[in-house]
Amino acid sequence: MLRVLTLSSLFPDLTRPNFGVFVERQTLGLAAEPETQVTVVAPIGLPPRLLRRPQHRALALLPEQEHWRGLAVHRPRFLALPGTGGRWHSRLLARAVVPLLDTLAFDVIDASFFFPDGVAAIELGRRYRVPVSIKARGADIHHWGHAPAAAVQVRAAGCAADGLLAVSAAMRDDMAAIGMPADHIHVHRTGIDHGRFHPADRALAKAARGLDGPVVLSLGALIPRKGHGIVIDAVARLPGVTLLIAGNGPEHAALVAQARRLGIADRVHVLGSVPHADLPALIAAADVMALASSSEGLANAWVEALACGTPIVIPDAGGAREVVTTPAAGRIVARDATAFARAIADLLADPAAPAEVAAAAAPFSWERNARELHAHLAGLVAAGRPAPSCAVA
């Protein structure tokens, strides 16, 4: 029996059902592997009471222990001090979960994100004398791996971990660039539920949403890094094209105002958060998925769109070249409105067969993801705890 403790501050809850669904799905797959027991510890960082906003108060009311889709999930709270750049997040997280972990039995810690999870996991692995694996997904390296208060902690965790995973080969290179040992990093790509994400009748999908004509979808959190504003500018240059933007975040009002300012408010629909279960039908209605991210590891949205037969237009960020492997899959372009408009127009003018597009997503599956993760973690348990693999000064 392999007993895994999955440590993840990126895990869905009743207040954030779309939060970290890729971690949830990966963990469900791992738990389904034979002779495997998975316990999820999903710490929730909260500021001091006097500084809490409504969303923090909602998080504080979540149960500290529950069964979530068949998984045993614990949600201990830790103090997330604002204005510190995250300097103390990992230490406070580790301290907060110790009373819980003292009551649990596990053979290995699987940290699903480098910061603060991975840094805390190293301290916990030493305390409980178990190996630690840390997975890098994107912002944990691109942001926290360079942030003044966290960069040294992230690099030290990478050097001390018994196993390292990256969502793409490009992510592995980015980890090595900040001093982590490249030969210690294994690429562990995301999965896709091909039973849900597959080509469907696009005309029917459009009709179900009251749409006609060409449709572009931009899918991701409404934050500057995702570049939704670039896609709005691109669509403004494409008469008759409708843009759907699905996601939640602080840029919602600004994006609506941008569309209004450009005179295309009737063609741009900011949908807000869309339940993950509803994404296949939404993607099926789009002729193109365009996401102008400044950085990514390997975005699940890319693979989900391709699996639905919808080609993608994306910049050369993260694992883009590992996903857009054929002309049918889409285009990799410069991160500006002109390049995006040209690529979208090109795909609309000469669409590939949906099955040909979907073929690019065929290598991605949750079954493969689970098998590879199980083998990786079991190997760490069998090997014991080696010495740190690089200098941490």
Side-chain angles (χ1 to χ4, degrees):
M1 173 71 70
L2 177 66
R3 301 174 300 177
V4 180
L5 178 76
T6 293
L7 182 66
S8 177
S9 60
L10 287 178
F11 202 84
D13 56 58
L14 288 175
T15 73
R16 305 171 297 177
N18 284 357
F19 184 65
V21 290
F22 43 87
V23 176
E24 173 196 62
R25 189 60 187 81
Q26 174 176 292
T27 308
L28 286 168
L30 177 63
E33 287 291 295
E35 296 295 310
T36 305
Q37 175 186 308
V38 178
T39 302
V40 178
V41 176
I44 297 174
L46 296 172
R49 286 183 181 274
L50 292 177
L51 300 178
R52 291 181 186 177
R53 297 179 179 179
Q55 66 266 31
H56 298 133
R57 291 191 284 273
L59 289 171
L61 293 174
L62 290 171
E64 295 201 12
Q65 181 177 352
E66 64 179 315
H67 286 277
W68 182 271
R69 300 190 180 180
L71 294 170
V73 178
H74 302 266
R75 303 187 190 275
R77 278 54 164 172
F78 70 96
L79 185 61
L81 292 170
T84 64
R87 184 178 305 277
W88 311 109
H89 284 14
S90 295
R91 183 173 299 176
L92 291 170
L93 188 160
R95 184 183 303 171
V97 303
V98 162
L100 169 63
L101 267 56
D102 282 347
T103 70
L104 302 176
F106 49 94
D107 304 311
V108 59
I109 298 176
D110 167 34
S112 66
F113 200 66
F114 241 95
F115 190 86
D117 311 5
V119 176
I122 295 300
E123 181 178 340
L124 296 168
R126 289 169 177 157
R127 177 183 177 90
Y128 297 102
R129 298 185 179 183
V130 297
V132 172
S133 172
I134 309 175
K135 185 168 184 175
R137 296 181 177 276
D140 47 354
I141 299 298
H142 299 145
H143 174 70
W144 294 111
H146 297 272
V152 171
Q153 298 179 50
V154 168
R155 179 175 178 272
C159 289
D162 303 285
L164 293 172
L165 297 173
V167 294
S168 65
M171 186 84 262
R172 178 184 59 200
D173 294 343
D174 291 342
M175 295 163 72
I178 63 171
M180 297 182 193
D183 59 356
H184 202 52
I185 305 168
H186 300 280
V187 175
H188 182 232
R189 292 187 172 89
T190 190
I192 186 80
D193 184 346
H194 291 278
R196 293 178 55 237
F197 292 90
H198 54 76
D201 188 304
R202 186 154 292 142
L204 289 177
K206 288 182 182 182
R209 303 192 70 90
L211 299 169
D212 56 23
V215 176
V216 173
L217 172 65
S218 191
L219 178 60
L222 306 187
I223 55 178
R225 178 171 65 86
K226 293 295 185 178
H228 297 294
I230 293 173
V231 180
I232 291 176
D233 283 340
V235 168
R237 305 171 189 213
L238 300 170
V241 173
T242 296
L243 172 62
L244 307 178
I245 301 177
N248 195 21
E251 285 212 306
H252 188 287
L255 295 171
V256 171
Q258 179 183 352
R260 187 180 301 117
R261 187 172 61 252
L262 293 171
I264 57 170
D266 60 326
R267 296 196 284 121
V268 176
H269 306 283
V270 185
L271 306 176
S273 182
V274 174
H276 195 258
D278 295 341
L279 285 184
L282 177 63
I283 296 171
D287 299 282
V288 176
M289 201 283 280
L291 187 60
S293 305
S294 60
S295 66
E296 291 283 359
L298 193 153
N300 280 61
W302 299 346
V303 185
E304 290 168 347
L306 292 175
C308 290
T310 299
I312 61 179
V313 178
I314 56 176
D316 194 3
R321 294 178 183 270
E322 300 165 54
V323 176
V324 182
T325 54
T326 65
R331 303 288 185 271
I332 296 174
V333 299
R335 191 175 183 257
D336 63 65
T338 299
F340 264 75
R342 288 174 179 167
I344 293 169
D346 182 33
L347 292 170
L348 292 175
D350 187 20
E356 191 177 354
V357 177
F364 298 86
S365 75
W366 287 122
E367 292 78 15
R368 176 178 175 177
N369 177 281
R371 287 195 305 270
E372 291 178 352
L373 181 57
H374 183 278
H376 169 74
L377 296 174
L380 296 183
V381 173
R385 302 212 71 205
S389 53
C390 59
V392 296

